Amino acid sequence: MIPELPPASHYMQLPREVLIGRNVAPLVGETLARLGFHGPALLVTGDIVLHVAGDTVLESVKERGFKTEAVTVRNSSTEEVAKVEKRIREMNPDIIVGVGGGKDIDIAKLSSMKTGKSFLSVPTAASHDGIASSLVSMKGLDRPYSYAAHSPIAIVADTSIIAKSPYRLIAAGCGDVVAKYTAVRDWKLAHRIKNEYYGDYAADLALMSSRVVMKNASSIRAVTDSGVRTLVEALISCGVAMSIAGTSRPCSGAEHLFSHSLAMVAPNPALHGEQCGVGTIMCAYLHGGNWELIKDFLQKIGAPTTAKELGIEPQYILKALTTAHSVRPERYTILGESGLTSDAALKVATITGVIEQ
Ligand code: ZN
């Protein structure tokens, strides 16, 4: 829980340990023991993930003498969170271990916070920065964007497992990282226009993640050890940047509003990071930034850069562009308070080649 603070003070909650590299999943048990946990551990994971990584983690926790159980979740819905919460209250574990992609980690994060437990994150994919952040995004909540929960006490990111995940997830993760290029510009803009708090350190950290990932496009595309590691480190740094800022501002601007809006209006949305990547191309154009650079990078990575590649019809792209400003009205961005006009939306989408003329 975020404590009540006096004015002009700042609360940062950061992970205490991060283990990253090949074959670190068997070290989860040891990590829990080192962090001083003794009691039962509840694993929150998905059906498929259980066999990919969950079993290894379960074994390692059992070996350390922890009483362990696993609960599998199907989707990121409030019902699944309630199911896990119920299990936590029955079992009263000392620690929750979230093993999996976005939904498993998000459910572990939210249910552990609601029950006052710590949680450890074991990401098996690198598709977005939620693997290390204190934020959750989930279907069925009262808002389409993420909100504050708590940070993992530790992150154990096994790059040999992440490297074996579908490449589409890795490419999506690159889209979520490159999004910081426009997110930070929007944050700066809100500082100037609305006198919103702006933190140089958090902003630079987020921008650095996007720069480093862009510089390492070819090794990420080749899914080399160092490429995967660079992406995972960037995603973790983005989570840290949000913790330091005390807001998702350094990592989420108009490109994220576009993605959230698209998720609501399109019948078959693409992945969060894929949509954010395409949003970044268009928002970079709106900012007068180097949108070609973003587009080149995403093409090099093999991430979508057009409506067609997202599998989304142009009409939904335009609808999302004109309504994105209303998704989260208190978040001031380059879209302004009244949003893009239809003509402006069509112009940005065609100039950047997101939709064909
Ligand atoms: Zn994101």
Side-chain angles (χ1 to χ4, degrees), residues 128-129 176 180 251 256 272 276:
H128 62 83
D129 58 24
D176 202 24
K180 308 338 173 196
C251 295
H256 269 69
H272 168 83
C276 287

Side-chain angles (χ1 to χ4, degrees), residues 131-271:
I131 57 173
S133 79
S134 60
L135 303 168
V136 283
S137 59
M138 203 160 288
K139 290 186 188 84
L141 296 177
D142 55 347
R143 38 180 148 165
Y145 50 89
S146 56
Y147 76 101
H150 64 170
S151 291
I153 186 114
I155 301 159
V156 178
D158 191 323
T159 50
S160 42
I161 293 171
I162 294 167
K164 284 189 211 128
S165 68
Y167 181 74
R168 187 183 171 193
L169 300 177
I170 292 177
C174 292
D176 202 24
V177 176
V178 85
K180 308 338 173 196
Y181 178 92
T182 45
V184 169
R185 280 168 171 76
D186 281 323
W187 193 16
K188 231 176 226 171
L189 190 67
H191 175 61
R192 282 194 223 110
I193 307 281
K194 298 279 176 187
N195 198 30
E196 210 179 281
Y197 160 78
Y198 174 83
D200 254 332
Y201 187 87
D204 283 357
L205 187 57
L207 278 183
M208 187 174 73
S209 293
S210 115
R211 268 199 303 272
V212 170
V213 161
M214 285 169 90
K215 209 171 79 188
N216 288 279
S218 42
S219 64
I220 297 173
R221 179 74 201 242
V223 199
T224 65
D225 270 358
S226 78
V228 174
R229 195 183 169 121
T230 300
L231 174 60
V232 176
E233 284 176 356
L235 291 168
I236 293 174
S237 301
C238 291
V240 169
M242 289 188 269
S243 288
I244 291 172
T247 156
S248 62
R249 266 295 193 183
C251 295
S252 168
E255 74 300 320
H256 269 69
L257 297 179
F258 165 75
S259 172
H260 299 320
S261 186
L262 204 49
M264 291 189 288
V265 300
N268 293 304
L271 297 176

